[in-house]
Amino acid sequence: MKRIKYITLLLCMAFSLEGIAQTAKSAYFLDGTFHNSRLNPAMQAERSFISLGIGNISIGTNGNVGLSHFIYPKDDHLTTFMSGTVNQDEFINRLPERIRLGTNFDATLLGFGFRMLGGYTTFSVSTHSNTSMSLPKGFFEIAKRGIQEQHYSLSAINMNTMNYAAATLGYSREVYKGLSVGVNLKYLMGLAYTDVTFDKFNAEFSDERWMIEGHTQAQAALFSEVYFEDEGQTLGDLQMGSLSPRANGFAVDLGVVYDMKDFVPGLTLSASVIDLGLINWKYMMSIQDNGSPIVWEGVKDADINDLEGALEEEMDKVFDKAGNVAEFEVNDIKSGATNLKATMYLGAEYNMPFYKPLSAALLYSKKFSPYSGWDEVRGYVNIAPLKWFEASANVGYSTFGTTWGWMLNFHPTGVNLFVGSDYMITKVNPQFIPINNFNNHITLGMNIVFGKRK
Amino acid sequence: MNKKALGMSLMGTLFIFCSCVDNAYDLNKGIETDVEILGNKLPIPLGSLKAFMLDSLVKDIDIIETTEDGDYCIKFNGAMSEEKYMSPMDIKIGSTNINVEVAVPTNNPNTRNGGTVSLPVPFNIEKSVSFNNQVSRLFNRVYACSFKEDIQVRIDLKLEGLEALQTNSADLDFIINFPEFFNGLKSYDEDVKVVKENSIHVTKEYDVQSNQGLTIELYCSEFNFEKEKQDGLELETNEYGVGFLSHQSKMSAEGQITLLCDAAGLSTSGTYPKFAMDLDFNFGVASIQIVDGVFCDEFHKVDSVFALDLDDIRETLEDPNINITLASPHIEVILDNYISSPIKHVELELLGKDQEGETIPNTVINEKFAIKSATYDESTKTIIKETTNLLLTSDKSFSIEGFETIETPALETWFEPIPHFIGFSVHPFLSNLERAHVKIDQPLRMDATYNAVVPLSFKELQFSYCDTIPFSVDDESFEEVEQISNIGLKLRMTISNTIPAGFSLITTALDHNNNPIEDITISPIEFEPCNEPYCTLQNTKNTKRVEIAIESKSAGFPKFEHLKFEFEVYSKDNTIGLNKAQGILISDIAIELSGDIKANLSE
C-alpha cells in the first residue's frame, strides 16, 4: 500500500510532457500538404517527401472557458468571480455545464512518403501527448452561491493524460474510379499514462451533519519497469527498473476518399476513423479509495463548559478518519490496457466550377471519450491560387465554442513549409491569456519534397 | 474577375483573424481580494450537550433527599428517650419537649394525679444550610414552596417503654403543633383532627402492651415560605446558585395519655361491683365449615377464644354472681384477605365452668351474632379486597350464675366459600359504670421517634441562573482572512424540557474583559413548561426547535470571547413537583451564517 504521492509523482511526469494536438484540421482539404494521411489514411500527398525532426509540429490547448469567466474588470482594476460585485446568475449562467480543459502535443520526428505498388506509402515516427480535465459546473456554483442546498451530488470529474510514441506505416490507393482507401498501421510505445476519475461526489450540509462521500479511482503507468521496494509487511519506495519498453500497443487508422466527379463534378467525400487501438502497460498501478464517507456530526453529550475542547477532539477524530479515507489502496502493479481515444472525420469538399482552385468544404469530427470527447463542425474556404501555394480559412463550432482556423501551405519543388491554426485566439490580455476561452493552437512544419506531382 | 486577384484577396482575409489585445483584463492592474464566501445557508453542526438534570443542581444539598420514585423531598427525623420512675403521673408535651400527662381515670377520691416529668425531645426542625456563595450565579425570588395537593405527611411516633406500665391500653390525647410554614393540613382519620391551620389534635386509644407505635397520616397542600419569610426567614444560596431556606422551626406537641387498666392491674382496695376493662384478643382461624353446600378447601373455626379467670374479681364482689351485660356487645371481625362470598354469621359460645373445670350447663350461652356492617345494613356482606371491619352485633343480654370461670371454647364462623386464610380479632367489650384504681409503680421509659417526609414542590416559583461560557474564535484558523464583515450567526438547537417549569434565556456577548458588546444583539428564547404526566427525556413531546439570531449592528463583526447566559425559570399558577429524572436536553445544535461572509484575503 502506498500513498497518493506516487500518483502525484506520475501526474507531474505526465504533465511535464505538455504539448499538443494532432495534425491540423485546417489542412484537411489542402492537397499540397504531406501529413493529411494522419487524419484520413486514404489521402495521398501530391509528391514524395521526407521529414526530419520538424516535419509536423502541433501544439494547442482547448477549453470551453477563458479568463473572462473568472476575472472581471471593475473600475480601474480587476476582481474575481468571488467578489460580491459579480452577479451570481451572471457568473453561473456563463459557465458551461462541464468545464473542459485540455492540452495536446503532436510531433513527427521522422517521416517519409512515396509512391509504390500503385499507391502511396508513408512511414513516420511521432510522439503524442493528450491531457484533459473535466469539472462539473456545480463546483463553481457552490463556490459562488455558497451552500444553498442540503444535498449536492456531483459527478464526472476526470483528469487524464496519455503520452505515447508511434511508428506508423500507411498505404493508400485508388481501388475504383475516384474511390481511394487507406490504412495506417501503428506500433505504439506507451510513455506515461494517468487517469484520475471521481465517479461520484455527494455532499450533505444540514443542521445534523456534514457528509462528504465520493469514490475515486486512478490508474497510472510508465513505459518502463516500476516496482515497490520490498519492506516486509509494507511497501517501500517506488523504484524504476530497466528502461526497456514495457508498454506496447497497436492501432489502426482507416479511411476512404471518393471523388464524385462522375456524379457531381467537383464534389469529394471522405471519411475516416483513426486511433482504433490500445496500449498494454506491463506495469500499471490501479488505485482507489476505500469509499468511506467523511461525516461530521458535532460532539455528543458534550459538557457545555468544555464545548470547545470537545469540538477540537471530535475534529481530530474526523480528520484522522479523513486521512484514512485519503490513504488510497494500491491494488497491485500489474499489466493493464488502455484504449486510445478514437476520432472520426466526415468531410465533403466542393470545388467551385467557376474557379477550380477555390473550394468550399465541411468537416464533421468527433472524438470518442467519456470525459474528454468532443464534437465539431467546421466550414472551410480553401484556395490554391498557385501551384506551390494554397491557403484555408475556416470557422468551427464545437464543444469548446466557436473558433476560427487558417492555414498557409507553401509546397514548391524541394521543400514544404506550412503554418496554421485550428483554434485562433481572438482576444487575449496583455499577458497573452485567452479571454473568452482557452482555445489556441499552432501547427507548423517543414518537409523535403521531391518527385513529380501526381 | 481576375482569378489570381480573387485568390490573393481571399488569402489576405486570413490575417483578419489575427489576435487582438484587451487591456481591460491586464493582470498588472491588480486583482481585488474582497470575496464573498460560503453563502448564507451553511449550517455547521455542533452536536449535542449533556442532559442538564435537576439532580446536578441539588445533589450536594444534603437537606434534600429523594424518594424511591425519585421525587425530591425533605425528610425530618429524630428521636427522644427518657426514663423516669413515676407513680401516677402526668406527662405533658410542651413546645420544645414532649410532656406526657398520665391520668388514671377513677372516681376514688384517694386517686390523685401524679407529678410531671419533662422529657427533652429534639422535636425541632433545625436544618439550616449554608453554602459557598462565591460563584457568580444569581438566585432571586422564591415566593412559595408548596406541597402537591393532598400529599401525605406521615409521622411515626413510637413510645418505647410504655408497656412497662403493665396496663393494656391508654387513651392518647395530645396536640402537635407544626412549624408555621405547614399550611393546609388535612386529616381523614377520625382520631386526628386539625384544630388550627397547622396543629392537630390526636385522641386515640393506644394498645400499651403491644406498643407498636402510632402512625399519624396527614395530608398537606401548602408549604408557604413566604409566610415564614415574614417571620424572619432567610434565603441563602449554594455554590450552584440554588437557594434554600435557612431557618429554625419548631414542631411541638402537648396533650395527655390516659392509661386504661385491665383486671390484672386492679387495686385490691375498695369495692367495685362493676369494673371497666378493655379486652383485646386476637384469635387464630382454626377451621372452616361448609354451609349451604358450598365447598371450601378448609374450614376456619375459632376453637378457643379466651378464658377469663374471675378469682381476683370475685374477691372484690359481695355477690359471687356476676351479671355480664353486653352493653355494647360487638365482635369485630377483621378480615385481612380477599373474600369473594358473603359471610353468613358468627357464633360465640360462652361456657361457665366450675373449679374442676366442668361445664355448668346453665351457664352455657350460645349466641349467634348477625353480621352488621358499619356501612351496610345487611345480614350478609361481601367482602372484597380491602381490609374491612365488620361489626357482629347482638341485642341480647343475659346473666350467668354459679360459675367459676367463663370460657368461650369456640367462636365459630361460617363462610361460604372461605379463602385459605382469614385473620381476624374479636374485641368483646365488658363495661361497668366504675373504673378501678390502678397502682402504677413502675419506671417509665419513653422513647419517641419521628419521621416526616415533605415532598419538595413549588408554586409561583421564579429564579434566575446566570453563567458564562467561553466562545472564542481561534485567530490562527482565519489567518488568511484579514477582515470579516457583515456576518450574522444563527444558533439553532432542539430543546427538550421535562421540568414542569418554563424558562427564558437571554444571551449577551462579552469581550475579553467580560464587558457586554453592544454592537452584537442576540435574540432571546422562551420555553414552555412540560405539562405531560411522566415527562421524561425519552418520550417527551415538549420539544421545540429554537433559533437564536446573533447579529452585528456595525459593519464589522467584533470577535467575542464569552457568551453570558441569563436563565429565568418560572412556574406560574400550578404547583409543580420536582423529580431527579427531570432535566433539559439540548441537541442538534447548529450554527448558520445568516449573511454572506465578506472577507479580504491577504495576498
Side-chain angles (χ1 to χ4, degrees):
Chain A
M1 184 178 72
K2 297 306 290 181
R3 293 175 183 273
I4 190 62
K5 63 182 181 182
Y6 299 116
I7 290 297
T8 306
L9 169 67
L10 295 181
L11 274 175
C12 293
M13 295 173 65
F15 276 97
S16 67
L17 299 172
E18 199 170 287
I20 231 234
Q22 61 270 28
T23 299
K25 286 178 288 206
S26 292
Y28 188 86
F29 295 105
L30 297 184
D31 295 332
T33 57
F34 291 86
H35 297 280
N36 278 357
S37 62
R38 303 274 293 278
L39 299 176
N40 188 332
M43 290 182 174
Q44 301 178 8
E46 61 180 5
R47 285 186 285 188
S48 301
F49 73 96
I50 297 175
S51 298
L52 294 173
I54 55 172
N56 181 15
I57 298 175
S58 179
I59 301 172
T61 63
N62 293 109
N64 53 4
V65 291
L67 187 66
S68 64
H69 287 88
F70 304 103
I71 300 294
Y72 289 75
K74 179 186 176 187
D75 300 330
D76 58 347
H77 60 278
L78 300 175
T79 187
T80 68
F81 70 96
M82 294 291 288
S83 171
T85 60
V86 177
N87 181 272
Q88 290 184 352
D89 292 336
E90 179 188 353
F91 168 72
I92 300 299
N93 293 337
R94 285 193 64 208
L95 290 177
E97 287 302 314
R98 289 168 62 185
I99 312 299
R100 303 273 300 278
L101 293 172
T103 65
N104 301 280
F105 174 81
D106 190 352
T108 300
L109 305 177
L110 171 67
F112 55 82
F114 53 88
R115 297 189 178 281
M116 64 175 293
L117 300 176
Y120 193 86
T121 302
T122 59
F123 177 79
S124 65
V125 176
S126 56
T127 63
H128 306 264
S129 174
N130 299 294
T131 301
S132 61
M133 180 176 70
S134 171
L135 284 174
K137 176 181 180 177
F139 267 111
F140 295 94
E141 191 169 355
I142 293 173
K144 179 60 180 173
R145 296 190 194 276
I147 306 298
Q148 299 285 326
E149 308 291 338
Q150 282 199 1
H151 299 275
Y152 286 94
S153 182
L154 305 175
S155 60
I157 305 169
N158 174 258
M159 288 183 292
N160 177 282
T161 181
M162 167 73 91
N163 305 274
Y164 62 95
T168 306
L169 176 64
Y171 179 75
S172 70
R173 67 174 296 166
E174 184 176 2
V175 294
Y176 188 64
K177 293 179 181 178
L179 177 63
S180 298
V181 298
V183 59
N184 290 334
L185 302 178
K186 299 178 180 177
Y187 163 74
L188 308 176
M189 184 178 74
L191 299 176
Y193 168 77
T194 301
D195 184 273
V196 180
T197 301
F198 295 85
D199 291 327
K200 63 177 181 178
F201 180 86
N202 298 325
E204 175 186 336
F205 302 98
S206 65
D207 282 4
E208 290 77 24
R209 67 173 186 168
W210 283 4
M211 187 277 292
I212 296 176
E213 178 187 35
H215 182 247
T216 306
Q217 50 183 349
Q219 291 179 316
L222 279 179
F223 66 96
S224 64
E225 180 182 6
V226 293
Y227 59 91
F228 289 109
E229 288 181 335
D230 188 359
E231 294 182 355
Q233 296 296 320
T234 60
L235 293 176
D237 293 334
L238 185 66
Q239 299 292 324
M240 292 184 63
S242 67
L243 296 179
S244 57
R246 291 292 189 273
N248 302 307
F250 177 79
V252 62
D253 304 337
L254 301 173
V256 59
V257 176
Y258 188 30
D259 185 347
M260 304 281 288
K261 59 187 176 183
D262 294 337
F263 303 99
V264 182
L267 178 64
T268 303
L269 302 179
S270 60
S272 66
V273 179
I274 64 171
D275 292 336
L276 292 170
L278 53 83
I279 298 176
N280 184 62
W281 307 82
K282 191 170 183 181
Y283 299 99
M284 174 178 279
M285 285 189 293
S286 295
I287 300 171
Q288 61 182 356
D289 64 31
N290 59 27
S292 298
I294 302 171
V295 180
W296 164 258
E297 295 178 323
V299 295
K300 299 294 182 189
D301 302 329
D303 186 340
I304 191 171
N305 290 314
D306 189 31
L307 182 60
E308 190 175 352
L311 284 171
E312 286 181 2
E313 185 178 343
E314 189 65 24
M315 280 183 189
D316 289 342
K317 293 180 183 175
V318 173
F319 284 143
D320 287 345
K321 185 177 181 184
N324 294 332
V325 170
E327 193 166 319
F328 292 82
E329 299 283 344
V330 176
N331 293 334
D332 265 319
I333 296 179
K334 55 188 178 183
S335 64
T338 56
N339 294 320
L340 299 187
K341 296 167 184 172
T343 308
M344 179 183 72
Y345 296 98
L346 299 175
E349 181 186 21
Y350 182 68
N351 285 90
M352 298 300 161
F354 57 89
Y355 182 56
K356 291 290 179 61
L358 178 66
S359 70
L362 200 63
L363 178 67
Y364 169 73
S365 50
K366 178 179 182 63
K367 185 152 193 167
F368 298 95
S369 173
Y371 296 111
S372 58
W374 45 258
D375 294 88
E376 182 183 273
V377 175
R378 188 176 290 261
Y380 291 76
V381 174
N382 307 300
I383 189 167
L386 303 173
K387 285 186 177 179
W388 50 270
F389 172 70
E390 57 188 353
S392 172
N394 51 78
V395 58
Y397 180 76
S398 74
T399 304
F400 301 106
T402 302
T403 184
W404 301 87
W406 58 275
M407 173 66 72
L408 300 176
N409 183 36
F410 302 88
H411 51 108
T413 300
V415 66
N416 164 236
L417 295 170
F418 64 91
V419 60
S421 173
D422 283 348
Y423 301 99
M424 190 61 194
I425 305 173
T426 56
K427 190 182 288 185
V428 296
N429 75 345
Q431 288 76 35
F432 297 100
I433 300 174
I435 291 176
N436 293 324
N437 55 52
F438 289 118
N439 289 331
N440 65 80
H441 172 241
I442 186 71
T443 181
L444 54 88
M446 185 182 77
N447 301 282
I448 298 171
V449 181
F450 58 94
K452 294 181 180 179
R453 287 189 174 91
K454 63 180 177 180
Chain B
M1 172 184 270
N2 186 315
K3 295 180 180 177
K4 287 189 176 179
L6 176 62
M8 295 300 289
S9 60
L10 287 173
M11 187 178 68
T13 59
L14 294 173
F15 296 96
I16 295 173
F17 307 126
C18 290
S19 304
C20 61
V21 175
D22 188 344
N23 289 317
Y25 288 90
D26 186 357
L27 298 182
N28 290 328
K29 291 179 178 179
I31 300 177
E32 181 184 85
T33 54
D34 288 340
V35 297
E36 286 186 359
I37 56 178
L38 300 179
N40 57 6
K41 288 187 176 178
L42 177 62
I44 304 172
L46 297 183
S48 61
L49 298 177
K50 284 182 182 175
F52 175 79
M53 307 302 293
L54 275 184
D55 207 40
S56 64
L57 277 181
V58 302
K59 64 181 181 182
D60 294 329
I61 305 175
D62 54 2
I63 193 174
I64 298 179
E65 300 182 29
T66 55
T67 65
E68 292 181 354
D69 296 331
D71 292 331
Y72 290 117
C73 63
I74 304 171
K75 292 183 177 178
F76 304 101
N77 53 64
M80 54 186 178
S81 178
E82 187 69 15
E83 182 173 343
K84 291 289 183 182
Y85 180 86
M86 61 186 206
S87 177
M89 62 182 67
D90 297 329
I91 301 175
K92 293 183 179 179
I93 302 176
S95 58
T96 56
N97 305 309
I98 289 182
N99 302 305
V100 180
E101 181 180 356
V102 179
V104 181
T106 176
N107 59 355
N108 190 325
N110 295 324
T111 302
R112 60 179 178 84
N113 291 332
T116 300
V117 59
S118 297
L119 307 177
V121 179
F123 215 63
N124 304 323
I125 302 172
E126 295 179 346
K127 291 288 184 182
S128 63
V129 186
S130 178
F131 299 105
N132 186 345
N133 198 24
Q134 293 177 348
V135 180
S136 61
R137 294 180 165 105
L138 303 177
F139 185 88
N140 288 340
R141 300 171 295 278
V142 171
Y143 291 128
C145 172
S146 305
F147 300 150
K148 290 178 181 176
E149 190 68 24
D150 282 349
I151 289 299
Q152 189 182 64
V153 180
R154 176 172 172 155
I155 298 177
D156 294 319
L157 288 174
K158 190 171 183 181
L159 306 174
E160 294 183 1
L162 200 63
E163 64 272 15
L165 294 175
Q166 291 188 349
T167 185
N168 288 330
S169 61
D171 285 335
L172 303 182
D173 185 352
F174 57 90
I175 291 174
I176 296 179
N177 299 312
F178 288 89
E180 285 293 314
F181 53 80
F182 279 82
N183 283 337
L185 286 174
K186 295 178 184 177
S187 170
Y188 299 103
D189 187 345
E190 292 181 353
D191 297 329
V192 180
K193 291 183 170 49
V194 178
V195 293
K196 290 189 296 184
E197 196 173 38
N198 57 352
S199 296
I200 59 171
H201 184 198
V202 181
T203 56
K204 194 174 184 68
E205 181 181 333
Y206 183 71
D207 184 352
V208 176
Q209 286 302 299
S210 60
N211 196 13
Q212 295 178 340
L214 181 62
T215 297
I216 301 172
E217 291 181 346
L218 299 170
Y219 296 87
C220 189
S221 61
E222 191 175 23
F223 192 16
N224 194 333
F225 287 120
E226 185 67 15
K227 187 173 182 179
E228 193 76 4
K229 189 175 181 181
Q230 295 172 356
D231 298 333
L233 182 70
E234 296 296 331
L235 190 65
E236 296 187 10
T237 58
N238 69 353
E239 60 180 321
Y240 297 100
V242 173
F244 201 80
L245 300 170
S246 171
H247 59 88
Q248 287 189 344
S249 298
K250 299 172 182 177
M251 183 181 291
S252 64
E254 58 185 346
Q256 65 181 17
I257 298 175
T258 302
L259 300 179
L260 303 178
C261 303
D262 61 5
L266 292 177
S267 169
T268 56
S269 62
T271 299
Y272 296 95
K274 296 178 181 179
F275 59 93
M277 61 181 179
D278 185 4
L279 301 177
D280 189 359
F281 294 93
N282 292 315
F283 300 96
V285 176
S287 63
I288 296 177
Q289 291 183 356
I290 297 176
V291 178
D292 294 339
V294 179
F295 175 77
C296 298
D297 290 340
E298 59 180 323
F299 302 119
H300 287 237
K301 180 181 178 182
V302 180
D303 290 332
S304 177
V305 182
F306 62 90
L308 180 62
D309 189 347
L310 297 179
D311 283 346
D312 291 337
I313 300 175
R314 191 185 306 279
E315 293 178 3
T316 65
L317 301 179
E318 295 177 353
D319 184 355
N321 297 322
I322 298 176
N323 289 323
I324 297 176
T325 302
L326 297 175
S328 178
H330 69 273
I331 295 177
E332 184 180 10
V333 180
I334 301 174
L335 302 169
D336 294 323
N337 292 327
Y338 175 74
I339 298 175
S340 59
S341 298
I343 300 173
K344 284 292 187 182
H345 57 266
V346 175
E347 285 189 359
L348 175 64
E349 182 182 46
L350 301 178
L351 302 175
K353 292 189 176 180
D354 57 18
Q355 292 180 338
E356 284 73 30
E358 294 295 328
T359 300
I360 303 173
N362 59 356
T363 64
V364 175
I365 301 174
N366 282 302
E367 182 63 21
K368 179 182 290 186
F369 291 86
I371 296 175
K372 184 177 182 181
S373 168
T375 53
Y376 298 94
D377 187 13
E378 298 173 351
S379 59
T380 60
K381 172 66 178 166
T382 298
I383 310 300
I384 58 174
K385 288 184 179 180
E386 301 167 354
T387 298
T388 304
N389 295 339
L390 292 179
L391 295 180
L392 308 179
T393 62
S394 172
D395 295 331
K396 293 182 178 179
S397 62
F398 41 86
S399 64
I400 305 172
E401 295 180 359
F403 59 88
E404 293 294 327
T405 61
I406 299 175
E407 291 183 356
T408 58
L411 177 62
E412 296 179 345
T413 60
W414 286 265
F415 305 95
E416 51 173 53
I418 302 298
H420 293 290
F421 175 79
I422 299 173
F424 62 92
S425 63
V426 178
H427 301 269
F429 280 83
L430 303 178
S431 66
N432 60 1
L433 299 177
E434 301 293 337
R435 292 180 183 270
H437 286 286
V438 175
K439 180 183 291 185
I440 299 176
D441 191 15
Q442 299 292 334
L444 172 65
R445 179 181 177 82
M446 284 201 64
D447 291 298
T449 60
Y450 60 93
N451 184 6
V453 177
V454 181
L456 187 63
S457 54
F458 296 91
K459 186 177 183 181
E460 297 182 3
L461 166 71
Q462 181 176 355
F463 74 85
S464 299
Y465 175 87
C466 180
D467 197 2
T468 61
I469 63 169
F471 198 87
S472 60
V473 177
D474 183 2
D475 291 342
E476 294 179 358
S477 302
F478 294 91
E479 59 183 3
E480 300 293 331
V481 180
E482 289 190 340
Q483 181 186 4
I484 299 176
S485 60
N486 294 341
I487 182 176
L489 294 175
K490 290 179 180 175
L491 186 62
R492 288 195 293 269
M493 62 192 78
T494 299
I495 299 179
S496 301
N497 176 26
T498 61
I499 302 174
F503 63 85
S504 62
L505 177 65
I506 299 173
T507 313
T508 308
L510 305 178
D511 61 15
H512 62 283
N513 291 323
N514 283 337
N515 295 320
I517 302 175
E518 295 182 354
D519 282 347
I520 298 178
T521 60
I522 304 176
S523 60
I525 60 172
E526 296 275 346
F527 210 91
E528 295 297 319
C530 186
N531 295 319
E532 306 160 13
Y534 312 112
C535 193
T536 68
L537 289 176
Q538 285 72 35
N539 64 10
T540 181
K541 295 179 181 178
N542 194 32
T543 297
K544 186 178 175 184
R545 188 81 177 152
V546 300
E547 181 176 280
I548 301 174
I550 307 174
E551 295 176 345
S552 172
K553 294 178 182 177
S554 58
F557 200 89
K559 292 179 180 177
F560 51 90
E561 298 192 355
H562 291 86
L563 285 177
K564 175 185 176 184
F565 291 100
E566 293 179 78
F567 205 62
E568 295 277 348
V569 179
Y570 60 86
S571 71
K572 295 180 180 177
D573 299 328
N574 297 329
T575 300
I576 60 174
L578 301 180
N579 186 287
K580 67 180 300 183
Q582 294 167 350
I584 296 174
L585 179 64
I586 300 177
S587 58
D588 294 337
I589 309 170
I591 288 181
E592 183 181 285
L593 306 172
S594 58
D596 292 332
I597 292 182
K598 295 180 180 179
N600 183 268
L601 302 180
S602 57
E603 296 181 358

